[in-house]
């Protein structure tokens, strides 16, 4: 079977993780005593997943094979926060929820728009009353040149959809302009495209039980 990249991560999660926004800013003191912030580049997600040697043998093998398949930093994968595959208010997914206006709700918005600062998108066509909490995620997904693309954003302030399924929510980082207008805003298993950070990725020694622990690190690939 041919592998497809970006490749999905194994379903069974790590024992711990770091999943945060890395910003490229500098401080610029001024003569009047103020300190300004200067943005040096686009923010991007960085992550580290720590694997436990207590994983089942099959799970340990799956992680080793996953790392091997990426060929160092040559190939991409779909990275995610294992702690928040769905909004906090729907920890088991969207089964049984209806979309405002009719039909089953699968986590995707029917449409979206964004403000001038690009940090407050408005999502339409959600389930009525759906609550979004701080550290929930919204993902924008699309395909470019036959390749899956993603843009991942973390909810900063709580918000709830109206009875008509519309919600405006503050997120970070702001939405980049590279997101096409026909991209789909989705709350279902949000993810972004990453490549391995080979300087931090290190699998441990294989135990007598055949299991391998270690650390897998990644950095977001921002291509459109």
């Amino acid at each position: 079977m041919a592998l497809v990249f970006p490749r999905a991560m194994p379903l069974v999660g790590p024992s711990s993780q770091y999943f945060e926004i890395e910003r490229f800013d500098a401080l610029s003191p001024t003569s009047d005593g103020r300190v300004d912030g200067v943005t040096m580049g686009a923010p991007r997600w960085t992550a580290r997943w720590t694997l436990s040697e207590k994983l089942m043998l099959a799970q340990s093998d799956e992680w080793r094979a996953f790392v091997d398949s990426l060929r160092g930093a040559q190939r991409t994968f779909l990275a995610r926060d294992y702690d928040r595959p769905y909004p906090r208010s729907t920890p088991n997914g969207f089964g049984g929820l209806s979309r405002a206006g009719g039909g089953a709700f699968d986590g995707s918005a029917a449409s979206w728009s964004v403000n001038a600062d690009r940090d407050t998108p408005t999502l339409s066509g959600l389930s009525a009353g759906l609550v979004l909490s701080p550290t929930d995620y919204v993902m924008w997904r699309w395909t470019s040149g036959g390749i899956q693309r993603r843009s991942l954003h973390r909810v900063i302030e709580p918000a709830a959809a109206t009875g008509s399924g519309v919600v405006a929510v503050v997120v970070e980082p702001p939405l980049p302009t590279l997101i096409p207008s026909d991209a789909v805003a989705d709350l279902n298993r949000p993810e972004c495209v990453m490549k391995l950070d080979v300087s931090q990725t290190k699998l441990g020694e294989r135990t007598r039980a055949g299991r391998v622990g270690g650390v897998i690190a990644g950095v977001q690939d921002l291509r459109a």
Side-chain angles (χ1 to χ4, degrees):
M1 180 180 68
L3 298 179
V4 176
F5 297 92
R7 191 177 185 191
M9 299 183 74
L11 290 177
V12 177
S15 60
S16 63
Q17 69 174 1
Y18 172 91
F19 198 97
E20 300 296 338
I21 304 167
E22 182 177 2
R23 300 185 186 275
F24 302 91
D25 296 342
L27 297 179
S28 177
T30 63
S31 59
D32 62 1
R34 292 182 296 112
V35 177
D36 292 332
V38 179
T39 298
M40 309 296 289
R44 66 180 68 210
W45 293 97
T46 60
R48 292 189 302 274
W49 299 273
T50 300
L51 305 182
S52 170
E53 293 180 356
K54 296 181 180 180
L55 284 173
M56 300 295 291
L57 177 58
Q59 297 163 355
S60 178
D61 286 348
E62 184 180 8
W63 276 98
R64 292 177 70 200
F66 170 76
V67 172
D68 287 343
S69 73
L70 299 177
R71 297 182 180 176
Q74 294 183 41
R75 289 170 162 173
T76 55
F77 65 98
L78 295 173
R80 60 191 179 94
D81 183 339
Y82 278 83
D83 291 336
R84 199 60 65 92
Y86 309 106
R88 190 199 307 168
S89 62
T90 58
N92 297 315
F94 307 103
L97 295 182
S98 298
R99 191 183 299 275
F105 177 62
D106 60 1
S108 64
S111 63
W112 62 276
S113 60
V114 66
N115 66 333
D117 290 335
R118 304 192 67 83
D119 61 0
T120 309
T122 297
L123 310 181
S124 303
L126 305 184
S127 183
L130 180 70
V131 174
L132 297 180
S133 305
T135 72
D136 286 345
Y137 292 93
V138 185
M139 163 185 70
W140 275 259
R141 54 180 171 84
W142 69 99
T143 301
S144 177
I147 299 176
Q148 299 179 70
R149 301 299 186 195
R150 301 286 189 271
S151 190
L152 183 64
H153 304 267
R154 180 180 283 163
V155 175
I156 302 302
E157 291 287 333
T162 65
S164 57
V166 178
V167 65
V169 60
V170 180
V171 300
E172 285 291 333
L175 276 64
T177 56
L178 60 80
I179 300 177
S181 59
D182 59 351
V184 176
D186 205 340
L187 307 172
N188 184 26
R189 294 187 180 275
E191 57 200 5
C192 65
V193 178
M194 283 193 179
K195 285 192 172 184
L196 276 186
D197 181 344
V198 294
S199 67
Q200 297 190 61
T201 298
K202 179 69 174 179
L203 295 181
E205 295 182 359
R206 190 180 181 95
T207 67
R208 293 185 63 184
R211 301 180 178 92
V212 172
V215 175
I216 296 170
V219 62
Q220 187 181 10
D221 186 326
L222 293 173
R223 288 177 294 177

